[in-house]
Amino acid sequence: MLFPAPALEARPAPTSDAKPATTELAAATPAIARFLPSLTDIAFLMPVIFVFVKLTGARVLLGDGDTGWHVRTGEWILANHKVPHVDMFSFSRPGAPWFAWEWLWDVLFAGIHHFGGLASVVTVSLAIICFTTVALFRLVRRTCGNGFVAIAVTLLATGACSIHWLARPHLFTLLFFTLTLQLTARAAGDGTSAPRGKLLAWLVPLTLVWTNLHGGFFVVFLVLACYVGSNLLNAAIEADPEQRARFLRFTKPWVLTGIGCFAVTFINPYGWGLHKHIVDYLTDPYQLQHINEFQPVNFHAQYAAYYEPLMVLALVTALWDIRRRRFADVFLNLGWLHLSLIATRNIPLFAIACAPLIARSIVSVIEAARDARIAGWIRRIAARFRESSCEFELTDRIPRTHLVSALTMLLVAALLLAPKPAGAKFTSTYDPKAYPAAALPILRAAETHHIFAEDEWGDYLLYHLYPAKQVFVDGRSDFYGDDFNLAYLDVMEVRPGWQKTLDKYSIDTIAISPKFALCSTLKISRDWRVVYDDSITVVFRRTDAGRSRLTSSLVSSNEGRPRDRAITKSGNTDRKITQPGPGA
């Protein structure tokens, strides 16, 4: 038969029998053993090792300027006791409609930032990553029943996830996605009985919180759709009427859970407008063409060393699961593989989704090798591996205090929050080699009014200069819109009409990296002069000729009437927003 009826495969470490044995072993184990590290501790500390050993330290989590405007948004909400509906950060689109769709993260981390600056933001973000890795490891281990395989696959997944380790709201999507997979896997069981509705019910409050933390909440519906689609496909190919009815009956809890989750997504400050905004954002051609996170996989990048093995194993696992009619797992595997190939921002979600399925298949292959008609040495290795794994599982599952994880995290937090950081890797600031840190005094000067800078630097300037200064553009590409974003790119790439854009918004100061063509063009322009240059940032201001031409341009564009300067000048509202805190 091409598609045998779904059945639960034997697992190498029988969890039901292991519990009594573990209890007996725990009673006979010295108390000191409870303080020794376990695989769970290794999983928890895995991101810490990645960040401070393999990567460049705390600044990795501040590798994107968006953290700055998120913090400032949260401060604005706390100061004004409401969620913003219009923009207050830019002088280019003042008062335009804006969705602060991650407002809850902004508020939480604005409070965290108040007590420790960016160092506290980095510390808490790293802790979220660590808890996500532990949750993933436990999901993988529960699925495959083998700690050795689980920790190895978790290592691969962690390496792939590191591409998107940034102190931003999406970290909660990684955590909540992992929790969603845990709940749905436990609710589904082995597929021979009805889904456990009480477990699925937990997805409703989870989705409610998720909706207000990050726009990635919609992935919960993709997971639920995989289980609905699996039951429907099994029903469609099932010859036995009773079995077909059973699959259709099993579909109901998943559908009801989806309805409940969908209903609570409307409990947000923007109502149904949030849903429309997310759809517009994800289907916007500008985002797909120009935003790095939406670009296809780059197999030359460092993360490919972790991503490629997962991709190959996921394909093999999908073929294995198709044979066993585990269509929900097939949809999760291949669906997220497809999404990861077309947008790098989906790589962490793919790694999390495929990890438990890959681990289960690896364990199944090892189990099959013990009795297969293959070389004897392979069978002996498989048998010895299973025996060692079972013995280790009994010991490793003894209840622990996880003292090693706690003490290590406290040490890392102390190093990050220390008044004098212990080296560059524990310095929680934006990288001064990538951002205009040294140019800030020039940009704070009274003669600086309207600053033009790249969007990434706009985030940085917003964090350091708001509310005294506003920005031309920042990382909120969904807010500025396609026409504005394209005009901004025309300036950056010195395309026809670039000067008109600078004149339109009365730009008097430009902060730019020497790597851009705009910098070279401005250096030979009689309208601009260099007032600062440190090889990382070049700051230009208009010359007398440039100011004269600007005035003429403004007059001509308003039919002889001077432009209303109140439209473009930096606002002085919302002064209750705090200035950059410690660690900025």
Side-chain angles (χ1 to χ4, degrees):
M1 187 164 60
L2 179 61
F3 294 113
L8 181 64
E9 291 187 1
R11 294 182 178 179
T15 56
S16 59
D17 296 335
K19 288 181 180 179
T22 301
T23 303
E24 294 176 4
L25 184 60
T29 301
I32 189 65
R34 298 179 183 275
F35 297 94
L36 297 177
S38 65
L39 288 180
T40 298
D41 292 297
I42 294 175
F44 182 86
L45 296 176
M46 205 176 284
V48 177
I49 297 171
F50 263 86
V51 168
F52 294 104
V53 177
K54 184 173 178 58
L55 303 177
T56 57
R59 285 175 177 164
V60 167
L61 298 178
L62 296 174
D64 185 286
D66 284 359
T67 306
W69 70 256
H70 277 295
V71 168
R72 295 293 173 231
T73 301
E75 291 176 343
W76 189 94
I77 295 172
L78 292 173
N80 293 273
H81 308 292
K82 61 181 179 180
V83 175
H85 287 75
V86 296
D87 177 54
M88 63 281 190
F89 292 142
S90 74
F91 63 80
S92 55
R93 298 198 66 207
W98 174 47
F99 289 84
W101 49 345
E102 292 137 348
W103 70 273
L104 184 55
W105 189 97
D106 299 346
V107 169
L108 291 174
F109 278 77
I112 292 169
H113 178 272
H114 177 73
F115 290 102
L118 289 177
S120 60
V121 172
V122 167
T123 301
V124 175
S125 298
L126 180 59
I128 293 172
I129 296 171
C130 291
F131 282 115
T132 301
T133 307
V134 166
L136 176 61
F137 167 69
R138 292 191 170 182
L139 170 62
V140 176
R141 187 184 213 172
R142 183 183 180 277
T143 303
C144 74
N146 188 298
F148 290 149
V149 173
I151 199 67
V153 175
T154 301
L155 176 63
L156 275 180
T158 300
C161 288
S162 65
I163 185 181
H164 216 194
W165 284 351
L166 299 166
R168 283 172 34 190
H170 71 273
L171 293 182
F172 275 105
T173 283
L174 302 185
L175 174 60
F176 285 7
F177 181 60
T178 306
L179 297 178
T180 297
L181 294 177
Q182 283 189 343
L183 289 170
T184 53
R186 291 178 60 191
D190 60 6
T192 60
S193 58
R196 299 165 63 183
K198 291 183 178 180
L199 282 175
L200 291 177
W202 282 103
L203 290 177
V204 177
L206 184 74
T207 304
L208 173 60
V209 178
W210 197 346
T211 300
N212 293 279
L213 281 170
H214 186 244
F217 66 87
F218 64 88
V219 302
V220 69
F221 303 106
L222 300 182
V223 175
L224 293 173
C226 289
Y227 286 93
V228 172
S230 176
N231 282 315
L232 293 178
L233 182 55
N234 270 308
I237 65 177
E238 180 58 59
D240 185 351
E242 292 186 4
Q243 291 295 322
R244 187 183 307 120
R246 180 174 65 89
F247 282 120
L248 293 175
R249 187 169 63 253
F250 288 176
T251 303
K252 182 178 179 180
W254 300 104
V255 174
L256 293 177
T257 301
I259 293 173
C261 291
F262 183 68
V264 298
T265 62
F266 290 90
I267 305 176
N268 71 82
Y270 306 100
W272 67 271
L274 175 64
H275 302 71
K276 180 180 182 302
H277 184 72
I278 290 176
V279 171
D280 292 342
Y281 175 72
L282 294 177
T283 57
D284 186 352
Y286 178 89
Q287 313 294 332
L288 301 178
Q289 295 174 15
H290 298 96
I291 304 300
N292 288 337
E293 294 178 0
F294 286 93
Q295 301 310 300
V297 169
N298 176 10
F299 286 97
H300 295 285
Q302 291 183 351
Y303 64 80
Y306 304 96
Y307 176 75
E308 285 187 278
L310 289 174
M311 179 182 67
V312 174
L313 291 170
L315 289 171
V316 174
T317 298
L319 295 175
W320 182 279
D321 288 336
I322 288 174
R323 171 69 178 167
R324 284 152 183 77
R325 289 172 60 171
R326 294 196 186 105
F327 296 124
D329 296 343
V330 174
F331 295 151
L332 282 171
N333 239 338
L334 298 185
W336 283 110
L337 174 59
H338 168 71
L339 293 174
S340 69
L341 286 169
I342 63 176
T344 55
R345 65 180 298 158
N346 294 322
I347 288 178
L349 296 174
F350 160 68
I352 292 170
C354 75
L357 311 179
I358 289 173
R360 184 189 59 202
S361 296
I362 292 174
V363 171
S364 297
V365 170
I366 294 173
E367 281 289 291
R370 291 189 307 147
D371 303 316
R373 304 176 98 180
I374 54 178
W377 66 270
I378 298 179
R379 294 199 303 271
R380 288 192 296 272
I381 290 176
R384 183 168 298 179
F385 179 80
R386 183 186 187 281
E387 182 180 349
S388 301
S389 298
C390 290
E391 293 176 356
F392 180 80
E393 284 293 303
L394 292 175
T395 304
D396 193 64
R397 290 178 180 270
I398 294 173
R400 310 293 177 96
T401 60
H402 301 297
L403 187 63
V404 173
S405 295
L407 291 178
T408 303
M409 198 63 202
L410 286 174
L411 176 61
V412 170
L415 292 172
L416 291 172
L417 296 168
K420 294 183 179 180
K425 288 201 172 185
F426 294 96
T427 302
S428 300
T429 60
Y430 288 103
D431 187 353
K433 295 181 180 180
Y435 292 92
L440 285 176
I442 299 292
L443 301 177
R444 284 196 178 102
E447 58 266 38
T448 301
H449 299 288
H450 291 168
I451 308 170
F452 177 92
E454 60 173 294
D455 54 357
E456 181 71 12
W457 282 13
D459 298 327
Y460 179 84
L461 296 177
L462 195 158
Y463 173 72
H464 282 279
L465 304 181
Y466 182 82
K469 309 287 183 183
Q470 293 172 303
V471 298
F472 173 79
V473 67
D474 53 72
R476 299 171 297 158
S477 56
D478 59 310
F479 161 69
Y480 288 98
D482 289 1
D483 292 340
F484 182 94
N485 287 325
L486 291 173
Y488 153 72
L489 289 180
D490 287 345
V491 176
M492 294 296 295
E493 298 173 7
V494 199
R495 293 173 181 169
W498 65 277
Q499 291 175 304
K500 291 183 179 179
T501 299
L502 297 178
D503 294 344
K504 176 181 178 181
Y505 295 100
S506 300
I507 303 298
D508 56 59
T509 304
I510 297 177
I512 198 75
S513 168
K515 67 182 180 181
F516 291 107
L518 177 62
C519 184
S520 301
T521 302
L522 293 175
K523 284 185 176 181
I524 61 175
S525 172
R526 68 184 186 90
D527 293 338
W528 297 90
R529 61 186 177 89
V530 175
V531 296
Y532 179 83
D533 186 350
D534 63 2
S535 76
I536 295 172
T537 308
V538 183
V539 179
F540 296 87
R541 285 214 176 100
R542 285 187 185 267
T543 61
D544 291 339
R547 284 193 292 270
S548 175
R549 194 183 63 77
L550 173 61
T551 302
S552 301
S553 175
L554 293 176
V555 170
S556 63
S557 64
N558 285 275
E559 299 180 351
R561 290 177 283 107
R563 188 178 183 189
D564 184 2
R565 300 293 292 181
I567 295 177
T568 59
K569 67 180 181 181
S570 300
N572 293 319
T573 58
D574 305 321
R575 286 284 184 173
K576 291 185 286 184
I577 305 300
T578 60
Q579 294 300 324

